[in-house]
Amino acid sequence: MSTSADRAARVVREQVVEGHLRSGTRLPEERLAGALGVSRNTLREALSQLVAERILVREPNRGVVVATPAVVDVEDVYRVRRLVEPAALARGTGHTPERIAAVAAAVTEGREAGERGDWDGVASANQHFHRAVVSLAGSPRLDAQMDLLLAEMRLFFHQMGAPERFHRPYLEENAAIAGLLTSGDRQGAADRLDAYLAAAEGQLVAAFRDRD
């Protein structure tokens, strides 16, 4: 992609990651191009990339819309996450003080949002927690791939009918993982995260099957 198209794709992707764009939302080209300050041709290039990433889809008579994920998407994304995230904790080469602090900061962010009853904010903090975990691998390529997974994950979370019930238990799980990491118990943090991801996948798969 051109630099402008890449930048536009990154902005739209981050809007999905942060929960501002939800499944089924239509993205009118003219209005979106104006908002992003790019030409319609550049925007089309960016949207085509996001369609290839499974974040957006093209629908007859509607144009480009934010994707609605299925059970197979949940299973595949969590398959990747369970390979990458525990490994980043246990064997990552990017365990700098700043990156470890970013993991702890995301825990604080989530707890503060929970205290306000802001469960969308808790979901965003959870995204920031997992992005910080993957950064411990020390790989810019993995960081870029995680951004794609984060967008799909946020679409998964929107399918859960009771966000507080889903997210609340993971606030303390994130805190426990951050505590193990800070204390130097990398393998303990990795093992706890692997069990956590398996539990989250089970919840999401069950919810998706009930929906379908």
Side-chain angles (χ1 to χ4, degrees):
M1 288 194 297
S2 68
T3 301
S4 295
D6 181 65
R7 184 171 60 250
R10 188 162 56 248
V11 170
V12 175
R13 188 187 302 114
E14 195 65 15
Q15 290 289 302
V16 176
V17 169
E18 294 297 327
H20 303 309
L21 292 174
R22 297 187 173 227
S23 293
T25 301
R26 184 171 171 270
L27 302 179
E29 281 188 8
E30 185 173 356
R31 187 166 59 193
L32 186 57
L36 295 174
V38 297
S39 70
R40 292 182 71 173
N41 283 341
T42 296
L43 178 66
R44 286 169 186 153
E45 189 179 354
L47 295 181
S48 292
Q49 177 61 31
L50 295 170
V51 168
E53 293 172 7
R54 303 183 182 85
I55 297 168
L56 307 179
V57 295
R58 297 187 190 279
E59 292 187 353
N61 304 318
R62 294 194 71 206
V64 177
V65 301
V66 180
T68 299
V71 169
V72 292
D73 300 312
V74 175
E75 292 171 336
D76 195 33
V77 166
Y78 274 82
R79 185 177 298 119
V80 175
R81 293 186 66 194
R82 291 185 68 187
L83 286 170
V84 171
E85 293 188 49
L89 285 169
R91 299 185 296 281
T93 59
H95 283 238
T96 64
E98 294 78 14
R99 287 176 177 153
I100 291 171
V103 174
V107 171
T108 300
E109 179 190 356
R111 282 176 161 168
E112 289 176 349
E115 289 169 2
R116 296 193 304 271
D118 177 9
W119 296 99
D120 280 343
V122 171
S124 292
N126 186 64
Q127 300 279 76
H128 303 158
F129 175 84
H130 291 285
R131 178 179 273 158
V133 165
V134 171
S135 78
L136 298 171
S139 167
R141 288 175 174 81
L142 269 182
D143 291 341
Q145 289 302 309
M146 188 59 178
D147 283 344
L148 311 189
L149 297 178
L150 285 169
E152 290 196 84
M153 284 162 50
R154 194 58 179 259
L155 297 179
F156 299 164
F157 298 156
H158 287 159
Q159 305 300 313
M160 303 301 287
E164 178 178 356
R165 188 170 63 188
F166 177 72
H167 287 293
R168 183 180 286 281
Y170 296 109
L171 283 173
E172 294 312 311
E173 282 298 310
N174 287 352
I177 291 162
L180 290 165
L181 175 66
T182 302
S183 73
D185 186 358
R186 292 189 181 190
Q187 191 59 54
D191 291 343
R192 186 141 187 172
L193 180 57
D194 186 57
Y196 157 144
L197 291 174
E201 179 184 0
Q203 283 182 276
L204 287 163
V205 166
F208 271 58
R209 286 181 175 153
D210 287 345
R211 179 199 68 182
D212 296 339

